[in-house]
Amino acid sequence: MDDALIIGGRRVESRLFVGTGKFADYNLIPQVIKSAKAQVVTVALRRVDFGTPEENMLKYLPENVILMPNTSGARNAAEAVRIARIAREAGCGNWVKLEIIADQKYLMPDNFETVKAIEILAADGFVVLPYMSPDLMAAKRMADAGAAAIMPLGAPIGTNRGLKTRELIQILISEISLPIIVDAGIGRPSEAAEAMEIGAAAVLVNTAIATADDPILMAEAFAQAVEAGRKAFLAGPGATRRFAEASSPLTGFLRNEDGVAP
Amino acid sequence: MTFYDELGRFRNIDYAGAFSRITPGRINNILARSDLQSEDFLALLSAKDAVSLEEMAQAAHRLTLRHFGRTVLLYTPLYLANYCVNRCVYCGFNAANNIRRRKLTLLEVELEARAIAETGLQHLLIVTGESRRHSSISYIKDCVGVLRKYFASISIEIYPLSGEEYADLIAAGIDGLTIYQEVYDEKVYSLVHPEGPKRDYRFRLEAPERAGQAGIRAINIGALLGLYGWRSEVFLGGLHAAYLQKRFPDIEISFSFPRMRPQYGDYQPEFPVSDRDLVRSILALRLFLPRAGITISTRESPELRDNLVKLGVTKMSAGSSTAIGGHTDAKEAAGQFEISDKRSVDEMRRAISALGYKPILKDWHALS
Amino acid sequence: MRVKINGAVDDIPDNSSIRDLLTGRKLSADIVIVALNDEIIKQEKWESLKLNSNDKLDIIRIMGGG
């Protein structure tokens, strides 16, 4: 059975997306990507800091990855569009992770500005994957605006608290026909597995791998967790009764009749 | 894209094959989950044993409590006119039937309205046969103009209209549409509707979507049980309701289970539906669509209706008459079908309260 | 002449090209992206394109991010 993940018309081989931020050493990154068996890799764009020595991230990424530059730093749609266009012009491909954050305390994304940016970028040929706060109506608007997937946060960035927004993500999975990719908040492989079990199409993990004592081993753990979660989802979990209730019968009034065949 | 296109995918389901593969384990699995899919709905409709029916009932009961509490909305139909150009084989208003044809004057509408309003009911369903000459849109609009003074909510159960016509009636004051496909199987549909504009299967099927686009607030659909096999009919009807809910997330969707009753004329249903089958249909639909309303009319007996209150039913008609002018003149023209539950509104209210539920006479009121 | 580089106003020699600017800042060409007045300038043009007074330059690199 072909369980392919298709985004923006392109077949994605791995349901674990990895971020390249917060690594102590860029040299770890190629091994992490290999260990994670990841195909989609996020990068960021920043103005060069003249004081410190520079390195080109692209040099560390294997040839066959799908680059997903993010628009981190953007506080509104206009800034995000600008960053996305610069990234594309710079040879990063036409995928973009739309991240519009005007809240420095919790780093919550601005769903409204995100919808606006999607309209512009989708019309301009980008494959847009918006990072968003899981709200069904916002997700519908993003889908209508041309998003290629929806990336709801599992918990606020950096909190590593697991799927605090699980119920809301489940609603998105039920109601939106685009791939739902859980981003932010996944701190452990078990949480990645949980996201996949409830039907997420993929997960994006950055901090949990980058800040682990052994990032390469952690990447491998995440890869296995994502695979396990996906298989569990496909296998169809069995019934777990939460409680047994003794109550009076509701259908006793029906006399014993022969069923009539349809 | 409309539901007609969706239906295409389900046209050739091997129902017998699907039914034979249902196991008790599968049913338990379904009952423990939420967010059921269409395959689950089909499985619930097909399971045969009494044990699973009771378990389904307990699950449906709990689910209905969560979403609706202990309430039942009461409404009544008002038949405005029984002129009809169709010759539906199953209907008392069949053009070929030699019955007295009548149409209420606006004064009579006012009198009926007063009589009904006195019972406390605030939700009204106006019904007509299909006759663009006698029950024209402008006639219906005039009636709505009168009825608006008395009722908080007016729904229509008439022949299918175009989008503009629905918009017109909505502007005049209606907020709900009831329209039953009667039978979802296209071949049987053709057989039971031998003559008249109602032969147009697709136009009728797509009517709820036109009304939805025109701004209707509530849609009630269903199949006339008895015309064809109930399992496939309820299955397709449930899919129709699910489709409408998905396409119009802000509209209140509800489902009815009209079961064929003796009526004027010789037609006897070829696929009679037992009480048990009716109950299974209601439970399966409730589990498949937790937020859909479920309506049971006075076609059903008082005992059965009272037992259905706890099984997921959310709306019931009361103090009904299917005859024209039936609320004021008991000797009136023949009704569309025979009523089984003849209890008055007061009796219904007491019966519902006795079951531990609250009868609701008014759910909302339009502001403009 | 005065130009704006990465948001900060700065003085650079008249008739500087982009390449001159990068060399002056000790930046290797293969790691940066240059946008002049919001338009990306491809590497081939860095030598020939001369900067003007009040030009806005963004010198950008690709780095790790989540």
Side-chain angles (χ1 to χ4, degrees):
Chain A
M1 182 186 63
D2 184 19
D3 183 34
L5 172 59
I6 313 275
I7 296 178
R10 196 161 167 187
R11 196 192 164 97
V12 177
E13 297 301 337
S14 162
R15 293 175 182 272
L16 173 59
F17 295 7
V18 302
T20 52
K22 302 190 180 124
F23 278 86
D25 178 1
Y26 278 2
N27 283 304
L28 287 170
I29 291 179
Q31 299 168 80
V32 160
I33 293 175
K34 184 165 171 219
S35 189
K37 296 195 258 185
Q39 194 187 6
V40 177
V41 175
T42 62
V43 295
L45 268 63
R46 282 289 181 283
R47 282 168 165 169
V48 154
D49 181 347
F50 297 118
T52 59
E54 304 294 346
E55 296 206 70
N56 184 2
M57 162 63 61
L58 292 186
K59 180 167 102 178
Y60 291 90
L61 304 179
E63 289 273 315
N64 63 339
V65 300
I66 299 178
L67 269 183
M68 189 162 70
N70 69 29
T71 63
S72 66
R75 292 160 306 172
N76 56 47
E79 290 180 1
V81 168
R82 185 164 167 267
I83 296 173
R85 286 178 172 153
I86 291 175
R88 183 168 61 176
E89 275 293 305
C92 291
N94 67 344
W95 279 43
V96 60
K97 173 183 160 179
L98 198 50
E99 193 182 300
I100 302 178
I101 294 175
D103 154 40
Q104 287 310 306
K105 186 168 176 185
Y106 303 99
L107 301 177
M108 295 296 278
D110 185 332
N111 284 349
F112 303 103
E113 287 294 303
T114 301
V115 172
K116 286 193 219 164
I118 295 172
E119 276 162 2
I120 301 169
L121 291 172
D124 195 7
F126 282 86
V127 173
V128 186
L129 289 84
Y131 170 63
M132 53 97 65
S133 187
D135 171 89
L136 176 62
M137 301 317 291
K140 278 183 198 250
R141 295 207 205 288
M142 291 178 191
D144 289 343
I150 302 287
M151 298 183 57
L153 56 88
I157 291 176
T159 56
N160 271 14
R161 289 161 72 189
L163 297 189
K164 287 302 182 192
T165 59
R166 184 192 160 120
E167 295 273 350
L168 300 177
I169 290 174
Q170 277 176 299
I171 291 174
L172 296 186
I173 290 169
S174 263
E175 299 301 317
I176 307 281
S177 18
L178 295 175
I180 305 296
I181 301 166
V182 179
D183 184 10
I186 295 183
R188 292 183 284 203
S190 54
E191 288 156 6
E194 186 187 347
M196 298 308 294
E197 269 169 24
I198 63 177
V203 298
L204 173 57
V205 181
N206 188 175
T207 309
I209 294 175
T211 59
D213 290 339
D214 185 343
I216 296 165
L217 188 57
M218 187 57 91
E220 191 185 335
F222 268 101
Q224 290 175 342
V226 168
E227 266 177 69
R230 182 65 184 170
K231 284 182 181 167
F233 171 73
L234 293 173
T240 42
R241 287 217 188 271
R242 283 193 295 172
F243 43 76
E245 263 183 31
S247 26
S248 39
L250 295 166
T251 56
F253 66 95
L254 291 165
R255 278 167 279 113
N256 206 357
E257 301 161 342
D258 284 330
V260 181
Chain B
M1 283 285 293
T2 69
F3 184 60
Y4 186 77
D5 306 293
E6 276 274 315
L7 256 191
R9 289 167 48 208
F10 294 96
R11 219 150 257 146
N12 294 311
I13 288 195
D14 170 22
Y15 287 102
F19 298 153
S20 66
R21 287 192 291 274
I22 307 295
T23 61
R26 173 96 202 276
I27 301 293
N28 284 338
N29 187 315
I30 294 170
L31 292 181
R33 280 192 281 117
S34 52
D35 201 21
L36 269 45
Q37 304 303 307
S38 56
E39 313 83 69
D40 304 321
F41 180 43
L42 187 57
L44 290 175
L45 286 171
S46 27
K48 282 191 162 77
D49 58 296
V51 171
S52 83
L53 195 67
E54 178 62 29
E55 287 184 4
M56 272 171 69
Q58 295 288 342
H61 173 72
R62 284 194 297 269
L63 194 59
T64 312
L65 276 186
R66 276 220 311 267
H67 291 295
F68 292 91
R70 290 179 202 275
T71 64
V72 177
L73 178 72
L74 294 180
Y75 73 98
T76 201
L78 170 59
Y79 281 71
L80 296 176
N82 62 0
Y83 287 92
C84 196
V85 301
N86 291 311
R87 289 171 188 249
C88 314
V89 306
Y90 52 81
C91 178
F93 291 170
N94 185 332
N97 285 353
N98 187 12
I99 59 170
R100 184 169 162 218
R101 304 284 170 171
R102 261 204 68 191
K103 165 177 159 176
L104 295 180
T105 63
L106 290 184
L107 175 59
E108 289 169 323
V109 170
E110 185 112 28
L111 293 173
E112 288 279 296
R114 264 191 224 151
I116 297 170
E118 242 154 67
T119 66
L121 290 175
Q122 278 289 298
H123 283 247
L124 192 71
L125 173 67
I126 56 183
V127 190
T128 70
E130 176 150 12
S131 167
R132 279 189 177 267
R133 187 172 143 218
H134 295 280
S135 321
S136 62
I137 306 286
S138 79
Y139 167 71
I140 294 172
K141 270 167 74 171
D142 289 342
C143 293
V144 171
V146 170
L147 295 166
R148 279 188 75 160
K149 299 182 295 186
Y150 294 89
F151 300 100
S153 162
I154 300 172
S155 293
I156 52 169
E157 187 178 345
I158 63 175
Y159 46 95
L161 305 180
S162 71
E164 297 90 61
E165 289 171 325
Y166 282 128
D168 206 7
L169 282 181
I170 291 167
I174 66 158
D175 53 58
L177 171 70
T178 291
I179 184 161
Y180 303 145
Q181 190 59 18
E182 317 293 8
V183 60
Y184 280 89
D185 182 280
E186 268 192 86
K187 288 196 287 300
V188 176
Y189 185 92
S190 191
L191 287 174
V192 300
H193 301 107
E195 238 182 87
K198 196 162 172 176
R199 271 186 75 73
D200 191 340
Y201 177 92
R202 190 167 178 166
F203 189 69
R204 188 177 189 83
L205 189 75
E206 294 173 345
E209 295 173 59
R210 290 192 297 274
Q213 283 173 308
I216 204 85
R217 297 191 66 111
I219 294 174
N220 180 231
I221 60 169
L224 187 52
L225 299 176
L227 289 181
Y228 194 50
W230 65 273
R231 283 196 175 93
S232 55
E233 286 295 301
V234 172
F235 177 61
L236 296 177
L239 293 180
H240 195 184
Y243 170 88
L244 290 171
Q245 189 73 91
K246 191 149 194 140
R247 185 158 173 206
F248 303 104
D250 54 328
I251 293 184
E252 222 179 74
I253 307 293
S254 51
F255 201 84
S256 285
F257 294 87
R259 205 166 41 148
M260 290 232 53
R261 297 285 309 158
Q263 34 89 80
Y264 186 96
D266 291 321
Y267 186 80
Q268 290 308 318
E270 259 187 72
F271 298 86
V273 176
S274 67
D275 285 359
R276 179 175 298 268
D277 296 337
L278 176 65
V279 166
R280 190 177 291 282
S281 299
I282 291 170
L283 299 177
L285 189 96
R286 165 55 66 234
L287 292 168
F288 178 49
L289 298 174
R291 293 200 195 276
I294 294 181
T295 311
I296 294 290
S297 75
T298 49
R299 288 173 201 258
E300 303 299 340
S301 72
E303 299 76 35
L304 182 62
R305 293 223 301 170
D306 285 357
N307 277 306
L308 292 178
V309 167
K310 290 193 175 160
L311 298 184
V313 168
T314 59
K315 280 192 242 194
M316 299 171 84
S317 48
S320 299
S321 167
T322 64
I324 313 304
H327 286 93
T328 47
D329 187 343
K331 296 190 285 39
E332 252 312 317
Q336 187 184 32
F337 56 81
E338 215 177 277
I339 303 244
S340 188
D341 187 345
K342 300 184 164 70
R343 287 179 291 183
S344 69
V345 174
D346 265 346
E347 287 170 314
M348 282 303 309
R349 289 167 79 169
R350 280 192 295 256
I352 291 171
S353 299
L355 290 164
Y357 279 64
K358 182 174 161 138
I360 305 280
L361 298 183
K362 181 161 150 182
D363 196 13
W364 65 40
H365 195 130
L367 287 177
S368 53
Chain C
M1 60 178 171
R2 296 205 119 143
V3 294
K4 209 169 183 181
I5 304 178
N6 281 359
V9 175
D10 209 349
D11 256 317
I12 59 171
D14 285 349
N15 256 334
S16 294
S17 70
I18 289 178
R19 184 160 293 281
D20 293 334
L21 183 64
L22 293 177
T23 312
R25 303 287 167 130
K26 297 189 176 37
L27 289 172
S28 156
D30 71 336
I31 56 154
V32 299
I33 305 156
V34 177
L36 171 60
N37 298 327
D38 287 327
E39 202 191 305
I40 302 258
I41 308 296
K42 294 213 157 48
Q43 281 206 22
E44 306 95 69
K45 294 229 180 87
W46 288 359
E47 185 75 57
S48 52
L49 197 64
K50 301 291 181 214
L51 299 169
N52 294 314
S53 194
N54 291 326
D55 270 346
K56 184 180 92 159
L57 279 149
D58 283 295
I59 305 181
I60 294 159
R61 68 182 186 101
I62 297 174
M63 60 176 273

